[in-house]
Amino acid sequence: MSDKLIVAGPCSAETEHQVIDTAKQLSSIGITHYRAGLWKPRTLPNTFEGLGQKALPWLLRVKRELGMQVGTEVANKEHITLAVNAGVDFVWLGARTVTNPFAVQEIADRLKDMTVDIVVYVKNPVIADIALWLGAIERLQNAGVTRLVAVHRGFHTGTTSIYRNAPQWHVPIEFKRLRQDIPLLCDPSHISGDSALVEQVIVQASKLNYDGLMVEVHNSPKDALSDKNQQITPEQFAKTLDKIHFGSTVDNNEILSVFRSQIDEIDKSLFDIIAQRMELSEKIGLYKKANDISVLQPARYEELLSNSLTYAKQHQLNADFVKHIVELIHQESINRQL
Ligand code: PEP
Ligand code: MN
């Protein structure tokens, strides 16, 4: 795990004792990067909005006394100015900030004016719009920031699920494909929203080739003033880190290549079959046209969808996955008949 970047610390800095005590415990388990929010973007007014500037000296004490790299969230030009002038090692732009290109540009412009090369972490935006995430990174790069780190913290979907923010793993996977040059961390705390789920998300992330983690750890989660439900203790975090193993990135193994050539053959047959199906769809399309029959036949579509459930059961495949494939195939058939 030594080559992974592990950032941990409380959601918010609350008291000097909480900041120092949490940092000491994390340092003693080998954590080198410490986070604590000073300016907290809250959904509702009249909730704890962070202590701001007042808590900066506590982070600097952590840096001085424990030798940790320290960082905090910035959401506007005042925050970045204060954080840089105080000498923090890294800052992060939160999900809400990355959702707003004006705010990102304001921070980028200020960094350019200050000509400092601080490490900037960019969380994914609240919704799964990968272009917004990439755009924020580009704005910072254009302003001369060279050390960027992306953080996947899940997405608001408006649907109920066990997660506070659905991981939608395909989005960070696509991010990684497009920006292989930017290290990508997983933030299991904001994905889970629940301390009981944090370990499970870390285990999943450890298999997906992330470059590290950003985790909310508090010396007394039950007393936390923000994100109380998702924070874990340094002890719990240490136990989780002991259990997990980040998969190797080595990818040139002979056994894997045998499996992969079998997979390639199967994929080839899958597409042969899909092409045959599309040819048939086109024939049906011509018949419908000649006989003035509407392309979309809702009852037939219903039948295809209910068949998909049967196939899923027969082959022990995930029902949503099979339904999704049937929807895509049906849509393409319709396109060919229009
Ligand atoms: C945080 O890290 O405490 C935070 C507010 O995160 P996010 O922007 O991911 O909600
Ligand atoms: Mn938080």
Side-chain angles (χ1 to χ4, degrees), residues 10-12 35 37 40-41 73 92-96 123-124 153 164-165 187 190 214 216 227 230:
C11 179
S12 306
R35 60 150 284 157
K40 301 302 302 174
E73 174 167 346
W92 74 88
L93 273 58
R96 293 165 179 81
K123 290 206 168 190
N124 66 249
R153 49 76 79 196
R164 177 179 180 196
N165 292 291
D187 168 348
H190 291 88
M214 182 193 260
E216 285 193 343
D227 286 350
Q230 70 195 31

Side-chain angles (χ1 to χ4, degrees), residues 6-14 18-19 21-27 29 31-37 40 59 62 68-71 90 92 123 187 189-190 213-219 221 224 226-227 230-234 237:
I6 311 287
V7 184
C11 179
S12 306
E14 296 162 0
Q18 169 245 7
V19 169
D21 185 43
T22 309
K24 276 189 182 155
Q25 294 190 50
L26 284 168
S27 174
I29 60 165
I31 303 300
T32 53
H33 287 67
Y34 189 68
R35 60 150 284 157
K40 301 302 302 174
L59 278 185
V62 170
M68 297 173 96
Q69 304 266 304
V70 296
F90 63 91
W92 74 88
K123 290 206 168 190
D187 168 348
S189 310
H190 291 88
L213 303 168
M214 182 193 260
V215 184
E216 285 193 343
V217 181
H218 191 291
N219 67 341
S226 60
D227 286 350
Q230 70 195 31
Q231 302 201 62
I232 57 175
T233 62
F237 190 41

Side-chain angles (χ1 to χ4, degrees), residues 15 17 34 55-56 66 76 144 146 185 189 203 207 216 218-219 222 226 235 246-247 266 269 280 294 297 315 317:
T15 65
H17 175 261
Y34 189 68
L56 263 173
L66 301 166
N76 61 35
T146 59
L185 310 187
S189 310
V203 169
K207 297 173 186 166
E216 285 193 343
H218 191 291
N219 67 341
K222 67 176 189 351
S226 60
E235 202 187 339
F246 281 89
I266 291 180
S269 328
L280 214 53
S294 160
Q297 295 294 332
H315 299 286
L317 290 166

